[in-house]
Amino acid sequence: MSSTRHSPASSALRRFAWVLCCAGVLSWWIAGVAAPDFDRMQRLAVERYGQRAGETVTAWRALLAEAAETDERTRLERVNTFFNRRIAFDDDIVVWGEQDYWATPLETMGKGAGDCEDFSIAKYMSLLQLGVPAERLRMIYVRARIGGPQSTISQAHMVVGYYATPDAEPLILDNLIGEIRPASRRGDLFPVFSFNSEGLWVGGASTSSADPTTRLSRWRDVLERMRAEGLR
Amino acid sequence: MSLIKQLWIAIALVMSLAFGGSLVVSTLSARHYLTQQLTVKNLDNATSLALSLSQLDKDPVEVELQIAAQFDAGHYRLIRLVDPSGQVIAERVNNGPAGGAPEWFIRLVPIAPQAGVAQVQDGWNRFGTLTLESHSRYVYESLWSGMLMLLAWFVAGGALTGLAGTLLIKHITRPLGRVVEQAEAIGGRRFVTTEEPNTAEFRSVVRAMNLLSERVRGMLAEESQRIEQLRRQHQHDELTGLLTRNQFLNQLDTALARDDEQAGGVLAIARLGDLERLNRQLGRPQADRLLQDVALCFDAAVGEHEGWESGRLNGTDFALLACGAQDAGAICRDLRARLDALLDGTAVEPAPRLPMGAAAFTQGEARTHLLARVDGALASAEQTGERALCLADADHEAPRHADLADWRRTLLHALDTHGVQLGEYPVIGSGGELLHHEAPMRLHLDGGWQGAGYFMPWAARLGLLARLDIAVLHAALRKIGETGRALGINVSADSLRDAAFRSELFASLQAHPAQAGHLWIEVPEYGVLRHQAEFRALCLALKPLGCRVGIEHAGRQFSRIGDLHDLGLDYLKVDTSMVRGIDTDTGNQNVLRGLCVVAHAIGLTVIGEGVSNEAEARTLIGLGVDGLTGPGIRGA
């Protein structure tokens, strides 16, 4: 594909364009520094949400540090348990005053509350931080049947799926129940669509935060906000 | 480099900077925008295709069909579905060239949108990863066409700006051209004034130059007026305003030496008798009145004739000098009639006696001889009657040619057969260096080379002067070409008015630019005064051709020198009548000294004509005269 070739002239042109736009240079430079900035997250949590939030982030950091020593299965358990216990489930309209708001892990920890997306995002990001490859993780839209096997009531829900191998049955990290179960034991959930940050955002990689189109996609938007908060 | 060129370069530079800069910026920003849009399209299309594939039964044919349908109906370069182990399930690729824009443009402005990636789910299981890239052809197409359009706009804008710039520059520099013209004119000693332009800077320059010109003009007018006054006081009789004896005799000498078309002429003297009785009968004031009236008659006889003079030789003797006149009888009868009418009107009894004698003279006759002849005629007239008129016998032999037709034949024959020959009389500067040679014309007539005085009066009457002047011009140019020495030639008043002569003059000088630089062209003072417009046009036209233009025989109308300030004249030859006896004539010395000051102020070289001896030469140089010529001057 010819568009991927880079001639010296084109890089010179590009550089010229950057020079014209100092802000562009600045953001490019910031984005280029790629490592999670937990201190920054800690500071922001205290500043924005108070001491309690700070403590939660401290606990979260301790969890990440401890879990890093364990195997993947244990990491899943620790992360799942951490968020299911620490974060209270509540609707976005209550927590954020919006119909549907995708919160970053920092925001979720700060508020100490969130809905299914917020749980899933926090777990997904934590696992990525613990070194679980993005290709083994999926955010999965599911239809959840509520109120027992015979119930006809269902609602939109989101969970995190973990695929130990490409063909394996996924393990489901859910906030409706405390434990992690394989998909086959979750008869109440019906998968609809899955996505992850592959090809969009990989921990440590950089995309231009100057790209205004990211704000139009909730997923890309939340990824971008995380990055701004120090989670890279 | 001229101002106009610099302005043009500045405009071109600013234009190309502005247009080139905005072209680059707009192309880059368009590229950025298009890349963003393409990335979003990739992501969205990948997600929606993955979503619909996730809902599908995963029948291989159906999956393949779904992807093919999306690919074929859309604008994609690549759609690929890879299973979790890395095996390709389905792939559609369009590797056709990007097209839509020249290769160099694609290389110069590459577009690299992000590919869209989405996950396809089969129930709880992973089915595969979908990668989607849109084709960039239409992006390049729109980028290229956008750039072409911008370029077209810029070219059109550039042309428009250039046009406007040209008009603006023309508008700005129109007054500048006039300013430069005026500055050059002043540099060339032509003190002209021009209209003040609207541009403030030019206006102050022009105002300053106009002021300079006005001052020079005012100074010249004042000075020349003063010199004229001085000359009149010195050269004219206080009571009657006629020339004094001295000056009249100087004029007579000049007239006798003349060898142009006014060579030869008539001298008449009238003597008022019984002045003492008139004083007694009429009283002094009335007698003076009568003398003034007689002088007026002489003035009237002179009238508009160029080269004619009247003078009061002593208390009772009045003289008329008619240069170039042929018919002594007619002139004298006319004057006689005027005087008789005056005498008839006086209240004195018996009427005053006023006899008159006259003689025709030719070029070269001695002054004493001529005066003796006229005195003889006057004596006869006194014997004959109170209002008698006696003409002295013609002294010279019978006319050389019977009539005008004969003269015409003879002159033309001489011109065609022998051409003209040029004399050579040196004109030297005050340091003794040679300025140029005066080159009067000679024609081969009646068996020998004759000077101009021999035939010029006849040529003038026949209207042949322009033809002769052209012959002289050609001969002079030829001679300058041969010897490389400067020559001065005369242009007669008649030639000045002759359009054919003028165009021939310009054409010849343009054809010989090297020789033109050594040519001094002089026009007699009365020709200049009579045909001012033509002379002015001639000066302005000759100036760029490199030759020098001057006035000869100057000395009668100094008050008009002020009018010469804007002609760019080079020199002034002062008439013999002013030069003769200058070493003893303090009055003329004063006049000449003033003339030199004024002439030098406007850059004129002053040359004295007819210098006959060392004393005159020394005095002239002492007065500030720059050059000398005449029988007393030998070449360096």
Side-chain angles (χ1 to χ4, degrees), chain B residues 265-346:
Chain B
V266 174
L267 176 66
I269 299 178
R271 183 168 292 157
L272 185 64
D274 306 327
L275 189 58
E276 276 180 40
R277 174 174 66 89
L278 289 173
N279 272 334
R280 268 203 318 278
Q281 285 187 349
L282 293 172
R284 185 99 193 171
Q286 284 299 317
D288 284 351
R289 231 357 238 288
L290 181 63
L291 288 172
Q292 282 168 342
D293 288 342
V294 172
L296 281 179
C297 288
F298 275 79
D299 265 344
V302 168
E304 289 297 303
H305 297 94
E306 288 299 339
W308 288 27
E309 298 286 355
S310 52
R312 190 178 178 200
L313 298 183
N314 55 39
T316 56
D317 288 4
F318 295 83
L320 174 70
L321 173 63
C323 290
Q326 307 280 335
D327 191 346
I331 292 166
C332 294
R333 275 192 296 279
D334 171 57
L335 179 60
R336 182 74 264 172
R338 290 173 193 274
L339 292 173
D340 288 350
L342 171 69
L343 295 178
D344 288 341
T346 53

Side-chain angles (χ1 to χ4, degrees), chain A residues 3 135 138 163 192 194 212, chain B residues 36 55 111 119 121 124 126:
Chain A
S3 63
E135 63 194 37
R138 290 287 186 282
Y163 295 81
V192 177
S194 77
Chain B
Q36 261 179 11
Q55 307 307 312
I111 291 174
Q119 308 300 332
Q121 209 52 21
W124 281 114
R126 297 168 55 182

Side-chain angles (χ1 to χ4, degrees), chain B residues 250-260 262-264 361-365 453 576 580 610 631:
Chain B
N250 278 351
Q251 295 286 4
L252 184 57
D253 280 340
T254 310
L256 287 170
R258 277 183 100 133
D259 63 350
D260 56 14
Q262 290 187 322
F361 61 90
T362 53
Q363 183 220 345
E365 186 174 353
T576 312
R580 178 62 29 83

